[in-house]
Amino acid sequence: KAYLEMQEMKPGDVLLLWGETGSGKTEVYMRISEDQLLNNKSCLILAPEIGLIPQLIDRFSKRFKNIVYEYHSNCSSKHRSLVWKKILEENEPLIVIGTRSAIFLPIKNLGIIIMDEEHDVSYKQDSPMPCYDARNVAIERVKTNPTKLIFGSATPSMMTWKKSVLEKKLKLVRMNKRISSTEIPDIKIVDMRVEFKEGNTKIFCSELLELISQLRDKEEQAIILIPRRGHSGFLSCRKCGFIINCLNCDVPLSVHLGSQGRQWLSCHWCNHKSKIINRCPDCGSNAFKPFGIGTQRVIEFLNNEFPDLRVLRFDRDTTSGKDGHRNILSKFSRGNADVLVGTQMLAKGIDMPNITLSVVIAADGLLHRPDISAEEKSLQLFLQVAGRAGRAQKSGKVIFQTYRPSHPVISYLKERNYERFLIENSKLREDAKLFPFCEVCLLKLSGENYKLTEFTATKLANYLQVFCAEKKWKLIGPAPSLISKIGKKYRWQILLHGPENSKLPLPDRNLLWERIPKKVFLSIDVNPVEL
């Protein structure tokens, strides 16, 4: 049905394909691409991360043979030059599969652009300038070219959902059922506070330890995800789950690191500051410290606890190099490892029939980031991870470990009700005039001289205040960035937000840049992914 509805698309149409994990979105992409090739049209398939490209390349190449080309930053200069040459010199239709930068390729006779996992923040470039969102670039391309655009996701971004459901600017097609005949596994939420009180101080709950010990005997596999926390932790009590929140905003205070190892708590929305404390103010426990667990620590624990278990690590450190992603995933799919431990790339598009256990530990690391979209991003990630288990004939289990089982996101997760989250959360954001119901711009300044960078940020904020007042925009800051110093450069930022669909309250580019000294760098990021 989804395929038939897409066949009716006309050039210039934009469609959201909202498909459950395992519902066959990739097969639909291939059938649509086949139609385009028969009509002598080329296809551009985009994925958010390089780690997803090998599987797409392998599946498309198997069907379409020698007309599939790969394009992303891990490709050699020679290979990328070859792709450009094919695009510019040959008239035969082709398929290009790449990451966000491929959106700028001047593909002739382009019939369709497909953006898989459209919700992913990796489609947004925030450094270096120009900061662009590949989704918006794709929409602009189909406005001026006889091209169709498909956004595909099991958990569409609120921005795209708003355009489709609330504004009716995009056509919506749903795929609600999995291809597999096995039932969608229930999601088990484990309260780690209870485990702690019962004497289990390990990073895995008792049930998970039991399930992992059975993997080899059952000849099954597991994936364990450790969400990246961003660059700063939040203070959490292991005994009662208490978190230090901002007095003015409904976000946790972040642990900031100064230039001489000094630590403090800060809110990245209103700039409220507080001292670091070592004892929980709610229950008095000393088990009160920044929260976060890394992939290496998890693998070390697994190796000690289960010496016979074969464990692979899947993160940026282990997948660098030309075929890093493909090699690890191939090894795992061949059954040469029992457990794959990794970061967020684990949740995206991995389709392996033998995975029967999906796990998220340290789930709180995403829930409590100082980010207005933290709940949206964490729920997307959790549901994507949950969708990796039990995709073939074997039934699956999904386990989430948390210290805050009462968090609103957990209720949506248990019900697998992403649509309810979108409806309810969008009302809250609309009432508060928060993104995507407003325009946001982040001005980022950096420089090696602390005083000069701070002075420039203050001077720029005072200068822009007049422009903001004229256009009814609000200016917040300047304030130190979440990480106040990177690579010997001090970092400050100014946040602007204003009415939806209004223009940025910025003066002429030359007037803006002439206020920035040579030793201070300015970056302008519209609708930033993180603050």
Side-chain angles (χ1 to χ4, degrees):
K1 184 185 174 184
Y3 167 64
L4 293 174
E5 289 195 49
M6 288 181 193
Q7 280 187 312
E8 295 175 6
M9 288 177 70
K10 297 173 183 175
D13 283 355
V14 184
L15 179 144
L16 168 59
L17 176 60
W18 187 347
E20 178 70 44
T21 50
S23 61
K25 291 189 294 296
T26 306
E27 176 61 29
V28 172
Y29 299 156
M30 288 195 286
R31 290 190 186 185
I32 290 295
S33 299
E34 193 168 27
D35 286 347
Q36 295 300 311
L37 294 172
L38 289 172
N39 290 315
N40 209 34
K41 296 278 189 179
S42 291
C43 309
L44 175 60
I45 319 292
L46 298 182
E49 298 238 11
I50 295 169
L52 294 177
I53 301 294
Q55 284 195 143
L56 284 172
I57 290 288
D58 292 346
R59 290 185 69 174
F60 273 78
S61 296
K62 193 174 180 180
R63 182 174 295 192
F64 300 109
K65 306 303 178 190
N66 299 323
I67 60 166
V68 180
Y69 296 92
E70 188 172 355
Y71 189 89
H72 51 76
S73 58
N74 260 19
C75 296
S76 65
S77 298
K78 184 178 179 181
H79 176 87
R80 279 180 285 178
S81 297
L82 172 68
V83 174
W84 272 82
K85 190 176 180 181
K86 289 282 183 185
I87 288 171
L88 295 173
E89 294 181 2
E90 294 197 12
N91 292 317
E92 293 298 312
L94 47 81
I95 296 173
V96 178
I97 299 176
T99 49
R100 67 180 177 230
S101 60
I103 193 63
F104 297 107
L105 289 172
I107 301 172
K108 288 183 287 186
N109 239 0
L110 182 60
I112 198 157
I113 301 171
I114 297 172
M115 301 190 78
D116 193 25
E117 310 288 359
E118 75 76 29
H119 64 276
D120 200 288
V121 296
S122 298
Y123 280 121
K124 177 73 165 61
Q125 168 147 316
D126 56 8
S127 180
M129 288 258 287
C131 304
Y132 68 91
D133 190 322
R135 290 164 294 198
N136 291 337
V137 176
I139 289 172
E140 291 303 313
R141 281 197 74 168
V142 301
K143 283 180 182 178
T144 55
N145 294 281
T147 306
K148 305 169 188 175
L149 172 59
I150 295 174
F151 291 126
S153 178
T155 53
S157 65
M158 186 172 290
M159 180 177 67
T160 302
W161 175 83
K162 173 176 172 275
K163 288 176 181 176
S164 175
V165 175
L166 300 184
E167 298 174 354
K168 309 294 184 186
K169 291 179 180 177
L170 280 62
K171 189 176 180 181
L172 175 63
V173 173
R174 300 288 297 265
M175 293 174 68
N176 295 320
K177 293 183 179 179
R178 279 186 165 194
I179 295 172
S180 167
S181 57
T182 55
E183 289 186 15
I184 296 175
D186 289 333
I187 297 172
K188 175 77 178 285
I189 308 297
V190 178
D191 187 345
M192 292 304 287
R193 298 172 302 177
V194 175
E195 294 280 323
F196 188 73
K197 286 173 185 174
E198 292 176 351
N200 180 13
T201 58
K202 295 176 181 178
I203 57 178
F204 285 3
C205 66
S206 303
E207 182 180 355
L208 183 52
L209 290 169
E210 178 65 24
L211 289 170
I212 289 175
S213 69
Q214 299 170 3
L215 284 174
R216 292 211 71 174
D217 291 339
K218 291 183 175 181
E219 296 183 344
E220 295 174 352
Q221 293 175 303
I223 59 169
I224 300 175
L225 179 134
I226 299 94
R228 278 197 293 257
R229 299 179 294 122
H231 298 102
S232 68
F234 58 91
L235 286 182
S236 173
C237 178
R238 285 195 70 187
K239 188 174 181 182
C240 71
F242 183 83
I243 289 166
I244 299 289
N245 275 333
C246 174
L247 295 174
N248 306 316
C249 310
D250 190 22
V251 293
L253 292 176
S254 297
V255 180
H256 277 246
L257 297 174
S259 55
Q260 296 177 333
R262 186 172 64 91
Q263 289 188 324
W264 71 93
L265 295 173
S266 178
C267 173
H268 224 64
W269 284 92
C270 70
N271 209 25
H272 170 75
K273 290 181 173 59
S274 179
K275 291 182 179 178
I276 290 272
I277 56 175
N278 299 312
R279 185 181 291 272
C280 177
D282 203 41
C283 72
S285 169
N286 289 323
F288 195 65
K289 55 186 179 180
F291 192 94
I293 297 171
T295 49
Q296 286 174 302
R297 183 180 164 193
V298 172
I299 287 174
E300 187 179 303
F301 171 81
L302 286 169
N303 289 336
N304 291 334
E305 198 79 15
F306 308 101
D308 296 332
L309 203 68
R310 299 166 301 169
V311 184
L312 279 176
R313 181 176 161 205
F314 190 67
D315 57 22
R316 289 194 189 280
D317 294 333
T318 59
T319 56
S320 58
K322 185 176 182 293
D323 289 317
H325 298 87
R326 182 182 266 110
N327 292 340
I328 291 176
L329 290 177
S330 295
K331 191 174 180 181
F332 190 63
S333 64
R334 289 196 303 268
N336 294 336
D338 308 301
V339 179
L340 190 61
V341 177
T343 49
Q344 295 189 27
M345 60 177 78
L346 263 187
K348 303 168 185 175
I350 292 177
D351 185 6
M352 296 184 188
N354 212 34
I355 295 173
T356 57
L357 178 62
S358 289
V359 181
V360 175
I361 65 172
D364 308 69
L366 270 178
L367 290 172
H368 303 298
R369 290 182 306 173
D371 178 356
I372 202 68
S373 301
E375 292 187 356
E376 177 187 347
K377 292 169 188 170
S378 55
L379 184 56
Q380 287 167 346
L381 179 66
F382 296 163
L383 288 170
Q384 292 282 342
V385 175
R388 301 302 134 209
R391 290 168 73 102
Q393 301 311 311
K394 295 182 180 180
S395 60
K397 285 193 174 182
V398 183
I399 290 183
F400 281 77
Q401 296 187 175
T402 176
Y403 286 89
R404 292 294 298 275
S406 61
H407 194 285
V409 164
I410 302 300
S411 67
Y412 297 117
L413 175 64
K414 284 170 74 174
E415 297 172 11
R416 290 181 181 264
N417 200 335
Y418 185 66
E419 187 169 15
R420 182 168 72 87
F421 165 79
L422 286 172
I423 293 167
E424 294 177 359
N425 205 259
S426 65
K427 288 176 183 174
L428 294 174
R429 291 207 209 173
E430 186 174 16
D431 291 344
K433 292 184 169 55
L434 296 172
F435 185 80
F437 298 91
C438 74
E439 302 298 327
V440 183
C441 181
L442 190 66
L443 305 180
K444 298 177 279 192
L445 298 102
S446 61
E448 293 187 6
N449 185 311
Y450 179 87
K451 287 187 176 179
L452 179 61
T453 308
E454 180 186 18
F455 174 75
T456 304
T458 303
K459 189 174 75 170
L460 183 61
N462 291 336
Y463 173 65
L464 293 176
Q465 194 69 258
V466 177
F467 294 93
C468 289
E470 285 177 359
K471 296 193 175 182
K472 296 182 180 179
W473 278 58
K474 189 174 181 180
L475 184 147
I476 298 173
S481 298
L482 200 56
I483 308 175
S484 59
K485 188 181 181 184
I486 290 182
K488 296 183 179 180
K489 286 183 180 176
Y490 296 93
R491 306 164 77 238
W492 285 74
Q493 64 183 38
I494 302 164
L495 178 66
L496 311 176
H497 61 87
E500 192 176 357
N501 299 321
S502 60
K503 290 185 178 180
L504 294 178
L506 297 178
D508 178 81
R509 185 174 61 182
N510 293 331
L511 290 174
L512 190 64
W513 251 264
E514 70 183 17
R515 281 166 170 76
I516 310 298
K518 286 185 178 179
K519 294 185 179 180
V520 176
F521 301 89
L522 170 65
S523 176
I524 301 172
D525 190 359
V526 179
N527 296 336
V529 167
E530 289 184 345
L531 299 176

